[in-house]
């Protein structure tokens, strides 16, 4: 299915994405999708990220010592974010890929600009209870349509006032559940083959190696500076994806 240059692009993509995750605790699906959709179609890119994303995020969800407390607090959000993924995935067989690519690019732009602007909002416990399922549904549908787990899920988790370690663990839970739901949704829509699963499994090696590199870099690099570079890169990639998608739609 893939020629040698494409395989090299896939390996380099997950090496970079793993490095980003090693430093910031997130970004593997976002970075891998942003780069892979430049070279291959979105459903294939979404299938390739499944194994590296699930394996790295299940570890992130299990480590930190806050698992029970976090799960009790965010389970309505997680449930909604998981069961609605299939709704978004249905669009993969019915909507032009260029439109979905533009949506992915738009999400990257919004997410990066929000972080670069330093914008944040806080939710009270009362509002957290009803907004969790609502934002979870939005996150699930967008995950199914674009393969990106971050908007608005990560913004919600940041807004409810979790400690840093609890936040990283909560993101791991969200990403793990979303990855599993995405795999089931892709399979249900005949967009996941054994060959893609095999290539995705092989992509785990550079992703883990990248995480090790990222963790070492994190010890010697200001996280604030890196995050700024990271979000600027996401903004540029999102803009590039949107422009390319608009070109295809105009043809």
């Amino acid at each position: 299915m893939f020629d040698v240059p494409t395989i090299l692009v896939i390996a380099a993509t997950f090496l970079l994405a793993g490095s980003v995750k090693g430093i910031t605790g997130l970004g593997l699906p976002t970075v891998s999708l942003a780069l892979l959709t430049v070279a291959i179609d979105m459903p294939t890119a979404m299938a390739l990220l499944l194994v590296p994303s699930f394996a790295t995020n299940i570890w992130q969800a299990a480590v930190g010592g806050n698992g029970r407390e976090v799960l009790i607090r965010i389970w309505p959000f997680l449930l909604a974010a998981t069961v609605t993924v299939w709704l978004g995935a249905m669009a993969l067989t019915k909507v032009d890929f260029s439109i979905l690519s533009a949506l992915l690019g738009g999400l990257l732009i919004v997410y990066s600009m929000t972080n670069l602007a330093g914008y944040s909002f806080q939710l009270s416990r009362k509002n957290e209870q009803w907004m969790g399922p609502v934002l979870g549904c939005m996150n699930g549908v967008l995950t199914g349509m674009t393969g990106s787990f971050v908007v608005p899920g990560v913004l919600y988790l940041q807004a409810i006032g979790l400690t840093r370690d609890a936040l990283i663990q909560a993101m791991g839970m969200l990403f793990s559940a979303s990855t599993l739901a995405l795999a089931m949704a892709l399979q249900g829509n005949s967009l996941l083959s054994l060959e893609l699963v095999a290539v995705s499994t092989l992509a785990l090696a550079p992703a883990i190696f990248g995480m090790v590199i990222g963790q070492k870099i994190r010890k010697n690099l200001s996280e604030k500076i890196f995050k700024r570079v990271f979000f600027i890169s996401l903004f540029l990639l999102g803009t590039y994806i949107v422009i390319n998608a608009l070109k295809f739609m105009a043809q």
Side-chain angles (χ1 to χ4, degrees):
M1 175 180 284
F2 301 109
D3 55 22
V4 174
T6 303
I7 291 175
L8 292 176
V9 168
I10 293 171
T13 294
F14 282 103
L15 178 65
L16 176 60
S19 299
V20 171
K21 185 172 181 63
I23 296 174
T24 66
L26 73 161
L28 190 147
T30 305
V31 172
S32 57
L33 275 174
L35 295 176
L36 289 176
T37 50
V38 175
I40 58 181
D41 63 88
M42 182 177 291
T44 300
M46 290 167 68
L48 291 178
L49 70 82
L50 292 176
V51 175
S53 177
F54 184 75
T56 55
N57 283 313
I58 199 70
W59 173 82
Q60 181 175 324
V63 175
N66 301 286
R68 185 174 182 276
E69 175 188 347
V70 170
L71 187 58
I72 290 174
R73 185 170 179 182
I74 69 171
W75 73 264
F77 164 76
L78 287 178
L79 180 62
T82 302
V83 300
T84 53
V85 170
W86 68 274
L87 287 172
M90 290 175 63
L92 293 173
T93 61
K94 299 177 181 179
V95 180
D96 190 306
F97 289 157
S98 297
I99 296 176
L100 298 181
S101 294
L103 179 58
L104 171 61
L107 289 177
L108 294 177
I109 291 172
V110 170
Y111 181 56
S112 58
M113 288 185 67
T114 299
N115 281 274
L116 286 170
Y119 176 78
S120 63
F121 64 97
Q122 303 295 320
L123 287 175
S124 66
R125 282 294 184 112
K126 181 178 179 179
N127 289 329
E128 172 188 335
Q129 292 177 355
W130 68 266
M131 285 195 69
V134 172
L135 295 178
C137 288
M138 292 175 58
N139 205 85
V141 172
L142 290 172
T143 293
M145 294 179 69
T146 69
S148 178
F149 310 145
V150 296
V151 179
V154 171
L155 298 179
Y156 169 77
L157 294 175
Q158 291 173 329
I160 63 176
L162 297 174
T163 64
R164 179 176 177 178
D165 289 342
L167 174 62
I168 290 176
Q169 201 163 358
M171 289 192 298
M173 293 178 183
L174 170 62
F175 300 157
S176 297
S178 298
T179 302
L180 186 59
L182 181 60
M184 296 173 65
L186 291 175
Q187 176 63 32
N189 287 280
S190 301
L191 296 170
L192 184 61
S193 65
L194 289 177
E195 185 175 2
L196 287 174
V197 172
V199 177
S200 181
T201 302
L202 292 175
L204 178 60
I208 291 178
F209 185 61
M211 280 191 68
V212 173
I213 294 175
Q215 289 169 349
K216 291 183 177 180
I217 293 175
R218 182 169 57 189
K219 296 178 181 179
N220 301 296
L221 180 68
S222 165
E223 187 173 344
K224 181 178 180 180
I225 294 176
F226 180 84
K227 281 188 175 182
R228 185 168 184 82
V229 173
F230 169 58
F231 289 121
I232 289 174
S233 299
L234 283 188
F235 174 80
L236 294 175
L237 281 169
T239 302
Y240 179 78
I241 291 172
V242 169
I243 292 174
N244 271 358
L246 292 176
K247 286 181 179 178
F248 280 112
M249 285 188 280
Q251 291 177 356

